[in-house]
Amino acid sequence: MALRNIRRQGDEILTKRCRPVTDFNDRLHELLDDMAETMLSANGVGLAAPQVGILRRAVVVLETNTPEGEEYVVELINPEIVEASGEQTDPEGCLSLPGEYGMVTRPEHVKVRAQDRNGAWFEREADGLTARAFCHEIDHLDGHMFTELCDHIMTDEELDAYYGQQQEQEEDA
Ligand code: NI
């Protein structure tokens, strides 16, 4: 496995629509292994193939709705969202725009249909942060960034105010 270079916003490749994956071969497996390693080493919860310069419909997402220490990587090839419900509005960021966040509304719950690394179709449900990551990564496959869905990049003061409030709520609960 190897770390790959993460493309930054402004790189034209991040605006392109990706082609479906058609060959479920060793080359794809190597790409997926490298993407997982690259995502984890950057402390991300999702990464899409175009972010490492590959215009194919493949993403990795870290499932974090688990007991601590038991997070695991989900691979989605040729994914599509087939059901969405509820709503969540929170700061969202991207490994292609490190350190910048914007308030983005996403579904609270999604169901996605995708292929695994061997080409088998499956359906998978996700909630909360994982649902947000599925939507965010699938948007990358169509050349979209989260910055198209928020008014502005949050200032440090706005982020502090948001996370300060969260903490108070948690302390109250
Ligand atoms: Ni992103």
Side-chain angles (χ1 to χ4, degrees):
M1 294 209 288
L3 291 180
R4 301 214 184 185
N5 246 344
I6 300 179
R7 306 297 183 98
R8 300 293 181 97
Q9 191 173 36
D11 188 319
E12 216 170 76
I13 206 157
L14 294 174
T15 65
K16 303 230 189 287
R17 191 176 154 83
C18 297
R19 295 181 300 277
V21 171
T22 51
D23 295 328
F24 295 83
N25 54 16
D26 288 349
R27 199 152 167 234
L28 173 69
H29 299 173
E30 191 185 342
L31 170 67
L32 292 166
D33 291 343
D34 288 354
M35 284 170 62
E37 193 183 354
T38 303
M39 169 183 75
L40 294 171
S41 106
N43 291 314
V45 295
L47 190 69
Q51 291 181 279
V52 294
I54 306 290
L55 285 170
R56 291 286 179 174
R57 304 186 78 80
V59 311
V60 293
V61 169
L62 190 65
E63 174 59 87
T64 52
N65 294 323
T66 64
E68 213 182 311
E70 293 177 30
E71 297 86 1
Y72 58 95
V73 176
V74 179
E75 298 171 347
L76 303 174
I77 316 302
N78 299 326
E80 54 178 318
I81 291 169
V82 292
E83 271 179 43
S85 60
E87 204 176 273
Q88 52 174 326
T89 303
D90 293 291
E92 186 168 311
C94 180
L95 292 177
S96 294
L97 196 58
E100 314 240 40
Y101 300 87
M103 281 295 220
V104 178
T105 299
R106 298 282 192 185
E108 175 62 28
H109 178 87
V110 297
K111 186 196 277 186
V112 66
R113 184 168 182 270
Q115 283 167 286
D116 69 15
R117 60 165 57 205
N118 298 309
W121 285 98
F122 64 97
E123 285 189 342
R124 184 178 180 96
E125 301 195 36
D127 298 297
L129 180 62
T130 309
R132 174 178 294 283
F134 279 14
C135 296
H136 176 117
E137 301 315 328
I138 291 170
D139 279 354
H140 274 302
L141 302 181
D142 292 316
H144 296 302
M145 289 281 297
F146 79 91
T147 46
E148 296 164 50
L149 299 174
C150 62
D151 309 308
H152 67 282
I153 294 297
M154 293 170 79
T155 63
D156 289 347
E157 290 72 21
E158 285 173 323
L159 280 167
D160 284 349
Y162 178 86
Y163 286 111
Q165 237 169 36
Q166 286 277 101
Q167 205 162 26
E168 272 165 40
Q169 277 169 10
E170 277 161 25
E171 280 160 11
D172 289 346

